Amino acid sequence: MPVRIGIIGKTNTGKTTFFNAATLLSARIGKFPFTTKTPQRGIGYAKTLCVCRELGVKDNPQNSVCIEGWRFIPVELVDLPGLIEGAWKGRGLGNEFLSVAAQADALIHMVDASGSIDSEGRIAEPGTGDPVRDFYDIEREIVLWMAKIIEGKRKYIEKTIESRRDTLKGALASVLTGLRIDESHVAQALEVSGMASKAFHDWSREDLLTFSTALRKIAKPTIVVANKMDIPLAEDNYKRLVNELSPIPVVPASAEAELILRRAERRGLIRYIPGEEIFEVKDPSKLNEKQKWALNYIQERVLNKWWRTGVQFAVNVVVFKLLRMNAVYPVEDEKRLTDHHGNVLPDVYLMPPDATVLDLAAEIHTELAKTMIYAIDARTGLRLPKDYKLRDRDIIKIVAAARRG
Ligand SMILES: Nc1nc2c(ncn2[C@@H]2O[C@H](COP(=O)(O)OP(=O)(O)O)[C@@H](O)[C@H]2O)c(=O)[nH]1
Ligand SMILES: [Mg+2]
């Protein structure tokens, strides 16, 4: 399953702009490892230093792309409509949106750092809005919604525990599976919230909210993107966000700037690798006045001040810092580093921190996991057991028994 990242926040914070920028890559991928079914789902990319340069080979990527030594690995992005107050009760299709958000592995919570929206998400005079308040407003909706789901199943959970059919942990996890929440998330949340020691039928409304708050944090790791940093008024709010929301990572960004750069790159006007700190105009005489102005604005207001637009960086923080994914390159020929078509370093998979080579085999093909005998580390030629824990940048050959019949 691809890593899935949901983008949440109030209306007009720049979610769709971020989504459009992050999903635009002019380089083409040979074979997409997954498809997206609806318009608000798209393919974004985690960017990592490819192993090709270290090994001095020219690669031929299939499920990802390599741009000047940077490997872009597909991840799924979900652009959600703005949540409004009362979403947890179903206001403004709130329940539907929240359940889509809950299907994500991690969330990007977008706020308008320039303060150009009011508490309802309407466009307002820059500097008048409060992104810290906006953040907490949305977080409250999520927590209340989770609490509502548990509350709605209270009788079922009580009965399950009383009849000893399952533990509290198991019963809670079973009513939350639709939200991609599992027993280990529930167990951690019970510990952190101090609720593990209290009998479920004694939980007060407040206890339920304490537990839901802990569960929200644990099950859906989140970064905040402080958007619209190109507007000078945003700087103070960015500092406030960093101070008040710590330890949640806050990434300063200008989604609009990234969208303009990627579009200009696609049109062949500039050289730009997403996430880089520089762009280069190919032929200044081809730019019109508006384009010149926009690129100059981005250079001065965004790159000179914040180094990068923050869009690619935000996706990377989610994938590599929050989810601690490792980029692993499976090959069929460990000497040539190819698949059976001779493509060099064809694929790369994002694997969770504790994943083993057996998990990698299962990710490639369920059949491969069944027939796998051992694996080989292509760098050293050493044989690896099935339970070898994958590390970032591993290049792995899976050795499987020949299939019978
Ligand atoms: N100045 C500035 N405006 C932005 C930025 N990102 C988005 N916007 C503007 O904010 C408005 C709302 O953007 P949109 O992506 O539709 O927000 P959404 O409702 O959260 O999806 C639009 O007018 C965008 O052009 C940014 O980085 N800087
Ligand atoms: Mg939108």
Side-chain angles (χ1 to χ4, degrees), residues 150 153-161 168 171-172 200:
I150 299 169
K153 298 278 179 167
R154 186 182 267 271
K155 286 230 169 63
Y156 165 82
I157 297 169
E158 279 175 5
K159 265 196 206 149
T160 305
I161 307 168
L168 172 58
L172 281 168
F200 182 71

Side-chain angles (χ1 to χ4, degrees), residues 10-17 227-228 230-231 253-257:
K10 287 196 177 171
T11 305
N12 283 322
T13 50
K15 298 182 299 299
T16 300
T17 308
N227 194 30
K228 310 194 189 179
D230 51 285
I231 298 175
S254 175
E256 189 90 60

Side-chain angles (χ1 to χ4, degrees), residues 151-210:
E151 185 63 46
K153 298 278 179 167
R154 186 182 267 271
K155 286 230 169 63
Y156 165 82
I157 297 169
E158 279 175 5
K159 265 196 206 149
T160 305
I161 307 168
E162 269 163 32
S163 65
R164 298 188 184 278
R165 258 179 293 136
D166 207 341
T167 57
L168 172 58
K169 181 177 75 173
L172 281 168
S174 76
V175 305
L176 295 164
T177 46
L179 315 189
R180 277 201 184 182
I181 290 176
D182 61 28
E183 277 201 32
S184 78
H185 294 134
V186 172
Q188 281 180 65
L190 284 168
E191 270 324 302
V192 170
S193 62
M195 287 307 175
S197 53
K198 191 161 181 178
F200 182 71
H201 69 259
D202 291 336
W203 283 22
S204 64
R205 171 86 187 145
E206 202 150 309
D207 291 338
L208 181 56
L209 289 176
T210 307

